[in-house]
Structures are given as structure tokens and as C-alpha cells.
Amino acid sequence: MWRTPTQESPVSPRPRPARTPRTGRLRAAAVALTGGLVLAATAPVAAFQSPATSATSANAASVAAQPYLVGRGIADVTGEPAEAGMMGYADLGQTSNGLHMRQRARAFVIVDRATDRRVLHVNADVGMIFQSVRDAVLARLTARFGDRYREANVMLTATHTHAGPGGFSHHNLYNITTLGYHDKTFRATVDGIVAAAERAEADLAPADLRVATTQLGNASANRSKRAYDRNPAADRAQFSAGGTDTASTTLQVLRDGRLDGVLNWFAVHATSMSTDNQLVSPDNKGYAGYLWEHEHEGVDYLDDSADPDFVASFAQTNSGDMSPNLDLRPGTGPTSDQFENTRIIGTRMVGAAQRSLTSPTRRLVGGVDSRLVHVDLADTLVDGQFTPDGQDHRTCPAAFGAAFAAGSTEDGGGGLPIFKEGKDGGNPLVKVVADALYTASPSLKACQAPKEVLLPVGALDLVQQKLPVQLVRIGDLYVVGMPAEVTIVSGLRLRRAVAEVMGVGIDKVLVQGYTNAYAHYVTTPEEYDAGEYEGASTLFGRYELPAFVQTVHGLAAHMKAGTTPPLGAKERDRSAGQVPSLQGKVVVDDPHLFKKFGDVLTAPSAAYDVGQRVQVEFSGAHPNNHLRHGSTYLTVERKVGASWQRVADDGDWETRFRWRRDGISASRITITWDVPRGTPAGSYRIRYFGDARSLLGTVRPVSGTSPTFAVR
């Protein structure tokens, strides 16, 4: 709490007013909003009304002033921090060996007070939301709340960090880098999302909602500019000269005139951390949430019993071709330090969202509504009104093109060195390899053309092909939930389809990628033809985007008419067929020779200055034994009088927790703390918390404490 605001942030931390206890009672309706409408109770009129009429009028005034109920929740979704393949880059060498910052889920429940219709929005610091996760969450919510939360009104989305442990999909393609399924990470993800949702439901209170859009032009770069430039000039004119989507849209939650939370959408990949990183991290989106919540608002994530006071959720939108690596090389731009880049891009996102607080805002009016359908993208007939040539076309069974194997070179995606981006992979060997891998179906090759088919993942049943597509309405803001990574022009066309049906401006429609399931990329037909990585990863052929446009157009038509479309056939349940991975499995923990668990192996120096790094090593245990949700693997403590006060833990930016195996069963735990600016001089210590497994399988807590050191 001693940090001073960084130069990247234009808004200093604000002192919080005293808060009234939340006991479930309705709050007063009269509020004064900065730069907005003053809403006051009409006391003189009420004085001449009967008590019953007065109460009815007061309730009506309350609903008019705060027409929604909004609840907020935060929970831990951190997966296995050691010996687990990480999700995103498909790099077999990127295996977790510790924790930089915890992954979290941030939930908002929004209820229309007039109709009691609601939506649940959860944004999780994970690589993807898979159908397996969504189905498990829905089952848990149904058991807890009955039919309050259903397919259509639950929107689950991912920040798409590439620095989280994987293995939590029920589709085998995504468990390759983890050598199989990791149930512990799956359960951590599901448990955290459900906990955040339950906390949001319990936190419901009357609210007013405002939305504002600011511009952020120095936090993204178009990593597929050659493909983007193939789009019509009218489409490209909607974006910056460099081909970036600079819109930062922030939904503000005001309860009794006080800002209690924000939900921001901005298009940029959460790939500031490169494949070289092996510490679990929520990347730039998660850091943005942490910065506003913890550093600016004083939220203590370990205080589970308390109101979080503030929730800042930084969600994705159409970020398929938007990279945070401004120099278009992994881990580069704004600097050559991937950790510093994470901090800077996250801070810039917070700055843009905070500028919305003093920008013109639009008050949301109207109800809450939602629609969802499952579409078989392997075989969808697309009407000519949605295709470039005006003719009917069909989508194709899922297949990757050759450039997929090259990976996204700008963001550090894994790939094979013979494969390069560009049509046909830019290498004559590509066709030879592709033909060798796949020769069975000329019809698939024709359907996927001009893509050179590398791997028919649909025929091999490796990816999801029946996909959920969602449309959520919050007042007059519409959010399209897409189960894929959508390029900015693809997002523009999806937004236009909804805006046209609903009769609203395109500024009132957002596309949110990485939502409810995962099916790689969505490019425009023009971008598809370029053969870049994104086009090669557009699984269902050249007319995939038109199929999605057709679908959201239909969802909007149903929403406008007040009708409900058939849900459609869902992806089958694959939970029973998972093969557990041996990666990260703990057989037994032993301390180092002649040591006990928690003993210090390397002590800190006697004193440190602000800006220096403190390092301590302990004889510990494997961290996968207990993921310590709601707790921590470490604390940094300051002596205050006769007691010790926690000043940092494993969820903080300044700490790093590293695990290393020594010998067969010993674990070396290295904890570092970068002493931040503003740290008071005094006596400090670092504590380690772990859990050790015996040969019989029992797990017991262990801990250690460093010698005291001084901060000068």
C-alpha cells in the first residue's frame, strides 16, 4: 500500500470514502454523479402522500435512479505452479516452475430490477474458456441456484494469458504441452469461476450503469498487417492508420453515486510474457486488474470474508491480430524486458479506463437480455446475403493450414522452423509435408482453399466444432460472445450485423472473443486468402466469418422479436475419456539432507535499499500438493511494535516464487521481493508456506521464516 502512482498512470490513487455496511437493504436513491445527471428525491411531493403511496413512489424513484442490481466478486483460479505445461504458445519447453502473480476470476451479476432478468459475466485470467469448463460451471451454478443461471445468460470469457498452466481442456489438442489432462488445474479454474459468481450474487445492490469510450493508441500493434491491408478501404477507415483498434470501452458500476467497479474491453493479446517465462502470470490484463484494485483501491485478496470494495475486470474484445509487443518481436516493445512490458501495457490500459471517469459517459437504459445458440461450424450453409460474392456457401470441417505450424512469430507462438507465415507457408516443402500428413479428402482441400491443409483436426476429433455463439444486452449496450480470436475487421462486421438489426449505432455493440469455448481464429475472407498464421488458424474455411455474422444476425433478430431460438446440438461430454497426465505428480516430499522442511538454505543480506531485490531460499515441498487458494505460498512482513504486519504476498507484483527439484524428492523454494518505492525503513522478514506429501499420501502444512533484515 506504500507505492506511489507510476508515471504511466494519469490518475493517482483516490482516497476511499467511508462505506456503509452491506446488510442486504436497499440503498438511498438520490445520487450525484461527477459530470453526469443529478438525481434527487422529491421530498415536498412525498409529504402530501399517504404512507403506502409514499413508499411506492420512493421505490419507483429508487428504481429510476438505479435501475439495475449489480453484484461483484473476485476469486482465485491459479492452477498448478510447478511442472505443468503452460497454455497458449504450444511450446513443449515452457513448463511452470513457480508463481509471479496469482490468476483470478472477476465476476459481475447484472439484474434488471423491473423484470428480474439477469446476466452473469465472468472474466478469468486463463488462456481459454473451454466447453468442458463452461459445462462444469453451469452444472455447479444449477445445483446452487436452480434455473437462475442458464446457457443463455452466463457469459464466461478469458483474458487469454499465455503464462498459465494448461491441461484443463477435454479436447486432446490442447493437452499436448501438458502430456495429458490436469484435473487439479481444471478444478482450480472451475472452482474459482463458481466462487466469483457466488460472491457476485451475494453482493447484489442497486446500481446505475454508465459507459464511456476513450482511445489508447500505444498499447497494441497489428501483427498481421499484410492480411489486414487486403480488407476494403471502408473497413480499414474505421481504425487507426497503423491498423489497430484503439477503442477502450469501460462499463462503470455506480452504487449510491460511488464507483464500485468497472468492466473494460480493449483489444490486445495478453502475450507480453514470452515463451521464456516459466512463472505463472495473469499477464497484462491481469496486472491491469491488480493495479486498479490493489494498488489504487487497497483491495486485499486474502480477505475473503470482506467486501472486495472494488472490482476491475479487463476483458478482451476483437484482439485476434492485436499484439502488445510493439516492436513485433516476442517480449519487445515498449522495452526489451517482458516483465516491464507487462507492467507498462497493463498500466496504460488502466490509464485509458480511468480517463473514462472524466470523459462524457452514456447512461445505460433499458432491460437485460441474452440469447445463445450452438452452431455446427463444420457444416453450416451460409446465405448469400452474408458472403462477399452474394452466393450461398458452406463452411468446412475444421483444419489447420500450413502457416499454423509456423506460430505467431510476433508473439512467440511455437512452431516448426520449416513453416513460415504467408500463403503456402512460403516454403516448397510445405506442400510435400501437407500431402504426406493428409491425403484422404480432396473435398476438404477444395472447401478450405486457398488454404493448404496441414492437419484435419475436425476429422481427427481434436477440436470443438459445435460452438456456442452468444448475444447479451445490458441496457442499450450489446455484447457478442465469440468462441474464438476475432480480428478487428471481423469484429467490425459482427458488430455491424447486430447494430443493423437492433437499430442502434455501431458504438453500442462490442465483440468479446475467447468466450464460452475455443475454436482458434476468425478472419475475414480477404484476410483468410493471405495465408497468414491467423488465416491458417481459421478452422472452418473461407466462409467462417460470414457464418458467424449470419448467426449473430439471427440472434439479434430473435432478441428484437422477443423470441428464443432453438439451442442447437451441443458438443458431447468428454469428461469420462480424459487421460491423466503424470506431469507435476508428487509421489513424496523430503527435505534436503540434514535439513527440516522450512529451513533456510540461503539467507538474505542484513540490509537492503529501496529498489534492491531480497532473495531467500528454503527447503520446501512441491507446490502442487496444495494450490493454496485464498491463501499464499509466501508473505513479506514488517515488524510493527511487537507484531508482524503482512505487506506483500504471492499475489503481488514485487514478489516471485520459484520451485526447483533438488535430487529425487527435495524442493528448493526461492522467494524474491523487489523492495518497492515508498517502503518505510524498518525490520522485515520473509515467510514460506507449503504442504508436504508423505509416502502414504498424507499432506501436512510446512513453513519457514527467514532471518530479519533491514530496509534502509
Side-chain angles (χ1 to χ4, degrees), residues 250-268:
T250 305
L251 177 65
Q252 303 167 9
V253 178
L254 299 117
R255 307 201 296 191
D256 285 351
R258 180 177 61 224
L259 185 70
D260 272 358
V262 294
L263 176 51
N264 173 269
W265 290 270
F266 176 70
V268 67

Side-chain angles (χ1 to χ4, degrees), residues 489-543:
V489 176
S490 296
L492 176 68
R493 295 181 188 177
L494 290 161
R495 292 166 61 205
R496 282 174 176 160
V498 173
E500 174 188 309
V501 175
M502 303 309 298
V504 299
I506 196 171
D507 60 313
K508 295 185 177 180
V509 185
L510 292 171
V511 166
Q512 181 180 270
Y514 313 97
T515 299
N516 297 324
Y518 184 70
H520 295 266
Y521 283 77
V522 179
T523 55
T524 67
E526 296 89 340
E527 292 165 346
Y528 183 88
D529 293 347
E532 298 283 309
Y533 169 77
E534 293 79 7
S537 303
T538 296
L539 296 181
F540 303 103
R542 191 171 190 269
Y543 301 100

Side-chain angles (χ1 to χ4, degrees), residues 19 447 664:
R19 290 177 172 260
C447 184
I664 296 175

Side-chain angles (χ1 to χ4, degrees), residues 352-364:
Q354 288 184 338
R355 285 196 296 275
S356 76
L357 305 182
T358 54
S359 300
T361 61
R362 175 169 58 86
R363 186 176 188 234
L364 294 188

Side-chain angles (χ1 to χ4, degrees), residues 272-514:
S272 292
M273 303 299 291
S274 74
T275 54
D276 296 333
N277 169 62
Q278 293 182 302
L279 296 181
V280 172
S281 166
D283 213 286
N284 50 50
K285 292 277 185 182
Y287 176 76
Y290 164 86
L291 177 62
W292 198 335
E293 292 165 350
H294 182 74
E295 300 292 85
H296 292 187
E297 297 289 345
V299 172
D300 184 352
Y301 299 112
L302 299 187
D303 187 5
D304 279 344
S305 63
D307 184 326
D309 283 341
F310 196 86
V311 176
S313 179
F314 285 81
Q316 292 286 9
T317 175
N318 38 229
S319 55
D321 46 359
M322 296 291 100
S323 172
N325 298 310
L326 305 184
D327 293 340
L328 293 180
R329 297 190 309 277
T332 62
T335 75
S336 58
D337 182 327
Q338 60 185 320
F339 287 90
E340 184 65 4
N341 292 342
T342 299
R343 186 194 67 78
I344 291 173
I345 297 297
T347 302
R348 289 177 179 174
M349 282 191 280
V350 170
Q354 288 184 338
R355 285 196 296 275
S356 76
L357 305 182
T358 54
S359 300
T361 61
R362 175 169 58 86
R363 186 176 188 234
L364 294 188
V365 293
V368 171
D369 208 353
S370 55
R371 298 289 188 277
L372 182 143
V373 293
H374 292 267
V375 182
D376 185 357
L377 265 294
D379 185 22
T380 294
L381 178 63
V382 187
D383 188 273
Q385 76 174 100
F386 302 104
T387 63
D389 61 4
Q391 302 298 311
D392 292 355
H393 291 279
R394 283 195 177 274
T395 56
C396 320
F400 285 116
F404 163 76
S408 171
T409 55
E410 298 84 3
D411 280 350
L416 302 175
I418 69 165
F419 296 98
K420 305 297 180 186
E421 287 194 83
K423 189 175 180 182
D424 299 334
N427 188 321
L429 288 176
V430 167
K431 188 175 188 305
V432 176
V433 174
D435 287 346
L437 286 172
Y438 185 69
T439 58
S441 175
S443 63
L444 179 61
K445 290 185 176 182
C447 184
Q448 290 276 355
K451 179 196 293 180
E452 190 72 58
V453 174
L454 175 70
L455 189 64
V457 287
L460 297 173
D461 198 26
L462 293 175
V463 299
Q464 184 170 344
Q465 299 190 102
K466 296 174 181 175
L467 294 159
V469 184
Q470 189 175 28
L471 178 62
V472 162
R473 174 194 174 198
I474 304 169
D476 52 357
L477 175 67
Y478 298 85
V479 183
V480 179
M482 287 288 293
E485 310 191 38
V486 183
T487 63
I488 60 174
V489 176
S490 296
L492 176 68
R493 295 181 188 177
L494 290 161
R495 292 166 61 205
R496 282 174 176 160
V498 173
E500 174 188 309
V501 175
M502 303 309 298
V504 299
I506 196 171
D507 60 313
K508 295 185 177 180
V509 185
L510 292 171
V511 166
Q512 181 180 270
Y514 313 97

